[in-house]
Amino acid sequence: MKVLVLGGGQIARAVGATAPSEHQTIARARSELDIVDAGAVMRTVAEIKPDWVVNAAAYTAVDLAEDQAAQAYAVNDAAVASMVQAAAQQGCRLVHLSTDFVFDGNSNRAYLTTDQTGPLSVYGASKLGGEHKVLELCCAPPGYMPPWARISC
Ligand SMILES: NC(=O)c1ccc[n+]([C@@H]2O[C@H](COP(=O)([O-])OP(=O)(O)OC[C@H]3O[C@@H](n4cnc5c(N)ncnc54)[C@H](OP(=O)(O)O)[C@@H]3O)[C@@H](O)[C@H]2O)c1
C-alpha cells in the first residue's frame, strides 16, 4: 500500500513513524508541496499514484488565524477541495482530519461526529469548511463535480 502524507507536523510525523513496514509512506512537507497550489496537488497525486492520501497539512495557529483568516481558509478549506478532486481523479482514498474546534465546546460529554457543529473561531470555521468540501464531493452522485472542484493542472 502506498500512502502519501501531506504536511510535516505532529500528525504527519506520527503517521510516518508508526506506519507498518509493509506500507510505503511518502511524505510531502510544505517545503515540497504547498497544498494551496491546486495544480501542484493534482500533479503530485497523479505522479505518485498513492492508494491513500493522508491530509495532515493544516493552518493550525488558532489565535493567529483570527487576524489571518484568508490564509486559514486557503489551507483548511479551499485547498481541501483540490485534494478531494485529486484523490477522486486518481481513484485513491483520502483521510481528512477534523478537530474539536468545529464544535462550540458547550457539551458536557465527548462529541460525536454526528453532533451539531458550531465553531467559535476562524480556525474552527475554516476547518469545518474543509470538512464540507470532503462531504459534498464524497456524498455526490457518480460523475458529479461541484464548481469549486473544477481545477485544471
Ligand atoms: N495534533 C492534535 O492533537 C490534533 C487535534 C485535533 C485535530 N488535529 C488535526 O490534525 C491535522 C494535523 O495537525 P497537526 O497537529 O499535525 O498540526 P501541525 O503540527 O501544526 O502541522 C501542520 C502541518 O501543516 C503544514 N502546512 C501548513 N500550511 C501548509 C500548506 N499550505 N501546504 C502544506 N503544508 C502546510 C505545516 O507546515 P509548516 O510547519 O511549514 O507551517 C505543518 O507541517 C490538522 O487538520 C488538525 O486540525 C490535530
Side-chain angles (χ1 to χ4, degrees):
M1 188 97 66
K2 203 191 273 186
V3 183
L4 173 61
V5 183
L6 303 178
Q10 291 181 70
I11 301 285
R13 289 196 301 272
V15 170
T18 56
S21 57
E22 66 264 31
H23 300 310
Q24 180 189 6
T25 55
I26 300 162
R28 287 289 181 274
R30 192 217 298 243
S31 55
E32 300 155 302
L33 176 63
D34 182 347
I35 65 164
V36 171
D37 184 343
V41 170
M42 300 289 285
R43 285 192 297 276
T44 300
V45 173
E47 281 165 22
I48 293 176
K49 298 184 172 40
D51 300 293
W52 289 83
V53 175
V54 176
N55 179 24
Y59 182 109
T60 56
V62 176
D63 294 334
L64 202 55
E66 297 301 317
D67 295 323
Q68 296 190 341
Q71 288 96 318
Y73 276 96
V75 178
N76 295 344
D77 184 341
V80 178
S82 52
M83 213 174 289
V84 172
Q85 191 199 12
Q89 283 193 356
Q90 191 55 45
C92 63
R93 294 178 179 232
L94 174 69
V95 176
H96 183 71
L97 290 129
S98 182
T99 169
D100 49 325
F101 281 85
V102 300
F103 300 110
D104 64 13
N106 289 324
S107 175
N108 55 9
R109 58 159 173 76
Y111 280 105
L112 303 172
T113 55
T114 49
D115 280 338
Q116 179 70 45
T117 53
L120 301 176
S121 63
V122 167
Y123 171 68
S126 66
K127 286 285 298 177
L128 183 59
E131 290 181 23
H132 286 161
K133 298 289 188 294
V134 175
L135 290 170
E136 185 180 348
L137 190 56
C138 290
C139 299
Y144 170 76
M145 189 67 75
W148 48 259
R150 292 182 194 129
I151 301 160
S152 55
C153 305

